[in-house]
Amino acid sequence: MTKKNTIIITGVAGFIGSSLAKKFIKNGYKVIGIDNLNDYYDVNLKIARLNIISPRYDRFNSFWNFHRLSIENYDQLNNIFEMAGENLIVVNLAAQAGVRYSLENPNSYIQSNLVGFGNILEMCRKFDVNSLVYGSSSSVYGGNTKIPFQEKDQVNHPISLYAATKKSNELMAHSYSHLFNIKSTGLRFFTVYGPWGRPDMAPMIFAKAILAGEPINIFNNGLMKRDFTFIDDIVESIYRCCLKPSTKDTMFDSSNPDPSSSFAPHRIFNVGFGKAIDLDYFITLLEENLGKKCKKIKMPMQAGDVVCTNADTTSLQNWIDFKPNISVEKGVEYFSKWYKKYFT
Ligand SMILES: NC(=O)c1ccc[n+]([C@@H]2O[C@H](COP(=O)([O-])OP(=O)(O)OC[C@H]3O[C@@H](n4cnc5c(N)ncnc54)[C@H](O)[C@@H]3O)[C@@H](O)[C@H]2O)c1
């Protein structure tokens, strides 16, 4: 039997990272987790996620260990990679997330998403890394109005610094893939929701308000659509991409370059459910599952936001033979059950 890879997951205390770590450990992989546990949102939620990652949770057991550090700290990161051994797969999910906060605290995006990501690429170059999978975002589609979004669309018009850093990550990773033959895969996640979600995102903000009997602010007068994607579908997609490192596209035509593919071993995939859901409908599902109605206050569009997101997932499906499949009705039911159990 071939030796299983060791998986380094950055952002492991985060929404997506913690769920992914569970999946790898359950499947017999060793996971080395990295997170700086910053206070962008409730640190207790991050600690609670860490505590349920492995039934054998212990900072230094043979399946799972955790290191608190910032990926922009080159020396500390280097120490972890030095200790990690061989046969590594790196999943970079550590980032300053959130579109709106990038107007308030741009430096945090520059540090985590650019300096930190640059360090991750350097580690991949320096150590025996099999492949890199990293979190990009649907926000790279910026002001595009052609629906659904496809990886071959031009994404040169970001409307937030957050989106600009994610697009930069794709460019940085491509150059490292080309120069140092690092097999890397960028995944553009579409509005992820589910148990252990992020308190700064709409599903958690809405659930909190509904249960507290408070009104909900809905932006763009409620005329927003999102491609809501359930966490388990995201985790399955990342997992499969980790097990299938990117390859060079032998059909790539440099005289007519397709942005979704490359002569380097670098690929980009949308990871979304594939349907634009009206925000109003999402709120109605939440109300039904939480057993309470709420008042909605219509607000104007917020700077940096987009009206509609919708993923074409054909490329992902062709690559990993998997299509996100958990309906929004089921997903909101699972999410609401968890929310009530955790918060009430
Ligand atoms: N959740 C979504 O809907 C969504 C959508 C698109 C893209 N993404 C991307 O997916 C990735 C994971 O998102 P998430 O929803 O799990 O976010 P999250 O904020 O829950 O997780 C990120 C984790 O990274 C940690 N972190 C942040 N900066 C760090 C740094 N410099 N060094 C070390 N740790 C750091 C945070 O403490 C946090 O625990 C991010 O790259 C995010 O931009 C998420």
Side-chain angles (χ1 to χ4, degrees):
M1 200 178 107
T2 50
K3 193 174 176 292
K4 277 198 161 174
N5 298 95
T6 295
I7 320 293
I8 296 187
I9 302 178
T10 72
V12 77
F15 174 28
I16 301 174
S18 55
S19 306
L20 182 70
K22 268 187 268 177
K23 166 107 182 168
F24 271 112
I25 293 168
K26 202 170 139 215
N27 284 286
Y29 290 85
K30 176 177 179 179
V31 171
I32 299 175
I34 292 173
D35 202 296
N36 64 6
L37 299 179
N38 67 42
D39 63 359
Y40 167 60
Y41 62 76
D42 185 12
V43 178
N44 289 325
L45 178 62
K46 296 184 181 183
I47 292 169
R49 292 186 189 127
L50 284 179
N51 285 338
I52 52 131
I53 281 180
S54 166
R56 290 173 263 200
Y57 176 72
D58 161 349
R59 271 170 197 245
F60 299 101
N61 75 25
S62 56
F63 288 91
W64 155 239
N65 58 56
F66 171 67
H67 303 270
R68 184 174 187 175
L69 66 112
S70 291
I71 56 169
E72 52 271 40
N73 188 324
Y74 181 94
D75 291 338
Q76 284 186 1
L77 201 57
N78 194 66
N79 288 344
I80 309 284
F81 274 77
E82 241 162 29
M83 286 187 305
E86 295 179 338
N87 218 8
L88 303 175
I89 293 176
V90 178
V91 185
N92 187 62
L93 297 168
Q96 178 58 59
V99 167
R100 290 167 197 167
Y101 187 61
S102 64
L103 279 81
E104 251 173 75
N105 187 358
N107 189 46
S108 148
Y109 292 77
I110 303 292
Q111 293 309 317
S112 295
N113 303 8
L114 298 180
V115 178
F117 190 67
N119 286 343
I120 294 292
L121 291 174
E122 272 300 298
M123 296 304 133
C124 292
R125 170 189 181 179
K126 210 170 151 189
F127 294 93
D128 183 25
V129 168
N130 264 23
S131 65
L132 166 69
V133 175
Y134 63 93
S136 183
S137 164
S138 60
S139 64
V140 300
Y141 290 102
N144 292 9
T145 52
K146 182 186 139 285
I147 294 291
F149 297 151
Q150 293 181 299
E151 295 89 342
K152 68 174 171 33
D153 298 342
Q154 297 292 343
V155 288
N156 298 316
H157 302 90
I159 55 172
S160 68
L161 179 66
Y162 169 66
T165 63
K166 290 292 174 182
K167 168 68 181 162
S168 307
N169 287 171
E170 295 179 357
L171 298 174
M172 291 161 79
H174 183 274
S175 68
Y176 269 67
S177 291
H178 167 59
L179 292 169
F180 311 114
N181 201 32
I182 294 164
K183 302 176 190 83
S184 56
T185 309
L187 299 178
R188 294 176 177 166
F189 304 135
F190 282 66
T191 318
V192 190
Y193 73 103
W196 300 100
R198 259 178 38 209
D200 63 318
M201 290 183 66
M204 293 271 279
I205 294 172
F206 293 164
K208 188 176 176 192
I210 291 170
L211 286 177
E214 287 165 5
I216 288 178
N217 289 338
I218 45 169
F219 296 97
N220 196 30
N221 298 315
L223 301 174
M224 304 271 265
K225 287 172 191 272
R226 287 287 177 273
D227 195 334
F228 286 102
T229 313
F230 193 67
I231 182 69
D232 293 11
D233 282 336
I234 294 284
V235 165
E236 185 64 30
S237 303
I238 305 174
Y239 183 80
R240 288 180 183 228
C241 286
C242 287
L243 302 188
K244 185 171 178 188
S246 283
T247 51
K248 298 175 183 182
D249 179 358
T250 50
M251 305 295 281
F252 186 77
D253 177 4
S254 293
S255 66
N256 182 22
D258 170 356
S260 67
S261 140
S262 179
F263 48 83
H266 179 257
R267 307 251 170 175
I268 300 279
F269 297 109
N270 286 341
V271 190
F273 180 76
K275 200 170 163 188
I277 303 286
D278 280 322
L279 209 55
D280 243 0
Y281 180 59
F282 192 88
I283 296 170
T284 304
L285 288 175
L286 274 175
E287 289 175 331
E288 282 169 14
N289 281 281
L290 295 170
K292 263 181 138 177
K293 285 240 167 245
C294 69
K295 190 172 169 232
K296 292 159 206 141
I297 302 176
K298 292 188 174 169
M299 305 282 282
M301 188 73 177
Q302 284 200 311
D305 252 355
V306 299
V307 176
C308 176
T309 66
N310 184 197
D312 180 331
T313 57
T314 314
S315 294
L316 179 79
Q317 208 176 335
N318 290 341
W319 184 249
I320 58 171
D321 195 22
F322 174 76
K323 184 182 178 339
N325 57 60
I326 298 172
S327 70
V328 70
E329 290 79 10
K330 271 280 156 220
V332 172
E333 184 190 325
Y334 299 145
F335 166 70
S336 304
K337 274 194 186 134
W338 168 80
Y339 191 93
K340 281 192 278 190
K341 195 166 160 216
Y342 187 77
F343 286 103
T344 55

